[in-house]
Amino acid sequence: DELINWYIMEFYNLRLKDLNPYVLLDTLKQRFGEELILLCHELPGIEINKEHFCHRRLLADWIELETGIVIPEVSIDEIGIITTTETYDLKPKIKKLIRKY
């Protein structure tokens, strides 16, 4: 838990603190279109731990805190069917560590 908290703070301070989420989303939409998917090779899992920690989920939860835009966790099967899946919620940790919200 301490390592995850440290990573959240470092990621926030190095990548997110000075980033405007609306500008980020607009830039992504201009480059890749309206339908965006944040990809990662990590398995997010249902519970947060060092084996299942994903920086993409951290970015998605930060975007939701900043904008209210919900970015669901999805999976795609072999034939292309997309389903939403449950995962951990980093928003409480982000709020606690960043103390900006």
Side-chain angles (χ1 to χ4, degrees), residues 39-54:
L39 297 175
C40 184
H41 66 277
E42 306 283 343
L43 291 174
I46 302 245
E47 295 181 22
I48 185 171
N49 57 51
K50 65 183 181 178
E51 287 82 27
H52 292 288
F53 186 76
C54 177

Side-chain angles (χ1 to χ4, degrees), residues 25-79:
L25 291 172
D26 189 51
T27 301
L28 291 172
K29 286 178 183 179
Q30 287 178 20
R31 292 191 73 195
F32 304 110
E34 289 292 320
E35 299 294 323
L36 297 172
I37 296 177
L38 301 175
L39 297 175
C40 184
H41 66 277
E42 306 283 343
L43 291 174
I46 302 245
E47 295 181 22
I48 185 171
N49 57 51
K50 65 183 181 178
E51 287 82 27
H52 292 288
F53 186 76
C54 177
H55 64 283
R56 177 190 42 80
R57 188 73 251 154
L58 174 55
L59 178 62
D61 283 346
W62 173 79
I63 289 171
E64 183 176 340
L65 282 171
E66 291 285 335
T67 67
I69 298 169
V70 176
I71 300 174
E73 197 68 33
V74 299
S75 64
I76 303 172
D77 68 14
E78 299 82 27
I79 59 172

